[in-house]
Amino acid sequence: MHASSSRRERPKEVTLEGSPNNAMKALAPMSHGIRDRRRWPRTIGPVRCEECPFSHSCVGRGGIRSQLSEHCVDGRPSACGAGNYLVSRGDRLTDVFMIRKGVVKSRSITSDGRERINGFHFPGELAGLEAIHSGRHSSDIVALEYSECCRLSFEQVQFLGDRVPAVQRQLLALMSEQLSRSISIMGDLTAEERVAIFLLDIRRRLPASRSHEDGFHLVMSRTDMASYLRLAAETVSRILGRFRERGWVDIAGRNLRSINTQSLERLSRDASVGD
């Protein structure tokens, strides 16, 4: 049966034992260029919340640091390989996803078959919130690389929010932050301003383990960047080349070896003033 069929059943979850490297091999995307066969997150674990660097900010922990509180949602640790789906467009909202490792993208497909990137989610961030208003996911959520997440029952998160005001505030803050990020690239901005804002935003959101003082690795392709910024891929490449010529970035492929934050921030501030 074709993968887009609403009757398609997801494979049963299986536990992956061993190191992340073994999990990565088991979850590698299917070959032969078959893109419409979707693979879903597999359960891993157990993962101890107190060992997670994001436990203090996780909505499943009730916005508190104590791991002994009754006000908690037990997450289901899962992993998926690059190209695998966390959820598919049209899926009913049952879980939201706390990203622990890796990067995932939210994407939709236009009527003419083009991929449209709606956002990226990094470690410590929550994916799947766009489904709250309708009860169904409006986007596919796909891993850009081997990724791990905690699947949190949204029903339990809602129940927890009713009992712990900090959870409601945290959810509102997360949704507000995602909305603000989308608005920041939808204004009357030049292509250069959009790329500058994007690079600064990624640098800020990457955990310390994924970046260093001067630069970081871009997980997403130029095509994904362009789709998110509503630009042509060639335009993004030209702008990065222009930034390199000015000494604002030192970039080779996806390896952003250094970034002149002051110059990019000045360009971003000029864009804000112009608005």
Side-chain angles (χ1 to χ4, degrees), residues 8-17 22-30 37-47 75-81 83-87 97 100 143 146-151:
R8 179 178 174 83
E9 296 183 355
R10 299 184 182 181
K12 294 181 179 179
E13 292 183 345
V14 296
T15 300
L16 298 177
E17 303 293 345
N22 291 335
M24 188 184 304
K25 292 177 182 178
L27 293 170
M30 285 178 288
R37 294 185 180 178
R38 301 177 183 180
R39 300 187 71 183
W40 310 96
R42 276 22 177 207
T43 298
I44 60 172
V47 174
R76 304 189 304 284
S78 303
C80 55
N84 294 171
Y85 286 59
L86 274 70
V87 295
F97 303 86
R100 297 181 61 252
Y146 171 79
S147 302
E148 295 179 5
C149 65
C150 276
R151 302 172 64 176

Side-chain angles (χ1 to χ4, degrees), residues 130-154:
E130 94 291 341
I132 293 178
H133 76 288
S134 66
R136 291 189 179 275
H137 291 278
S138 58
S139 304
D140 301 321
I141 302 178
V142 184
L144 286 172
E145 59 182 356
Y146 171 79
S147 302
E148 295 179 5
C149 65
C150 276
R151 302 172 64 176
L152 304 172
S153 164
F154 184 68

Side-chain angles (χ1 to χ4, degrees), residues 22-227:
N22 291 335
M24 188 184 304
K25 292 177 182 178
L27 293 170
M30 285 178 288
S31 59
H32 308 301
I34 300 176
R35 301 184 59 181
D36 59 349
R37 294 185 180 178
R38 301 177 183 180
R39 300 187 71 183
W40 310 96
R42 276 22 177 207
T43 298
I44 60 172
V47 174
R48 294 171 60 86
C49 289
E50 56 267 33
E51 297 175 356
C52 176
F54 309 109
S55 61
H56 67 281
S57 60
C58 178
V59 294
R61 298 290 95 191
I64 55 178
R65 290 182 177 273
S66 172
Q67 304 300 323
L68 302 177
S69 172
E70 63 181 12
H71 300 307
C72 293
V73 175
D74 291 328
R76 304 189 304 284
S78 303
C80 55
N84 294 171
Y85 286 59
L86 274 70
V87 295
S88 182
R89 181 177 181 273
D91 284 353
R92 186 168 59 87
L93 172 60
T94 57
D95 301 319
V96 289
F97 303 86
M98 179 70 176
I99 308 302
R100 297 181 61 252
K101 180 185 296 185
V103 182
V104 303
K105 66 180 178 181
S106 173
R107 65 100 183 260
S108 55
I109 304 298
T110 63
S111 58
D112 58 357
R114 290 179 293 110
E115 182 182 49
R116 179 169 181 170
I117 305 301
N118 301 317
F120 302 99
H121 303 282
F122 293 84
E125 298 181 355
L126 203 62
L129 294 178
E130 94 291 341
I132 293 178
H133 76 288
S134 66
R136 291 189 179 275
H137 291 278
S138 58
S139 304
D140 301 321
I141 302 178
V142 184
L144 286 172
E145 59 182 356
Y146 171 79
S147 302
E148 295 179 5
C149 65
C150 276
R151 302 172 64 176
L152 304 172
S153 164
F154 184 68
E155 182 178 1
Q156 292 181 25
V157 169
Q158 278 189 305
F159 178 75
L160 183 61
D162 291 338
R163 302 182 65 183
V164 183
V167 174
Q168 284 189 339
R169 291 195 297 270
Q170 191 174 5
L171 279 172
L172 288 173
L174 289 170
M175 288 187 287
S176 175
E177 183 178 13
Q178 291 185 14
L179 179 60
S180 177
R181 185 173 295 119
S182 297
I183 292 174
S184 70
I185 65 165
M186 292 175 61
D188 185 17
L189 304 176
T190 67
E192 283 195 356
E193 290 165 348
R194 294 189 184 204
V195 174
I197 290 172
F198 176 77
L199 293 178
L200 291 171
D201 182 55
I202 296 302
R203 187 177 189 274
R204 180 183 62 81
R205 293 162 64 194
L206 277 175
S209 61
R210 292 292 299 269
S211 64
H212 51 80
E213 184 177 354
D214 296 322
F216 51 87
H217 178 72
L218 288 168
V219 179
M220 64 289 299
S221 66
R222 299 286 193 274
T223 301
D224 280 352
M225 288 175 56
S227 176

Side-chain angles (χ1 to χ4, degrees), residues 196 199-200 203 212-216 247-250 256-262 264:
L199 293 178
L200 291 171
R203 187 177 189 274
H212 51 80
E213 184 177 354
D214 296 322
F216 51 87
W248 293 0
V249 299
D250 179 8
L256 190 60
R257 293 177 292 212
S258 67
I259 178 172
N260 186 327
T261 56
Q262 290 183 344
L264 296 182

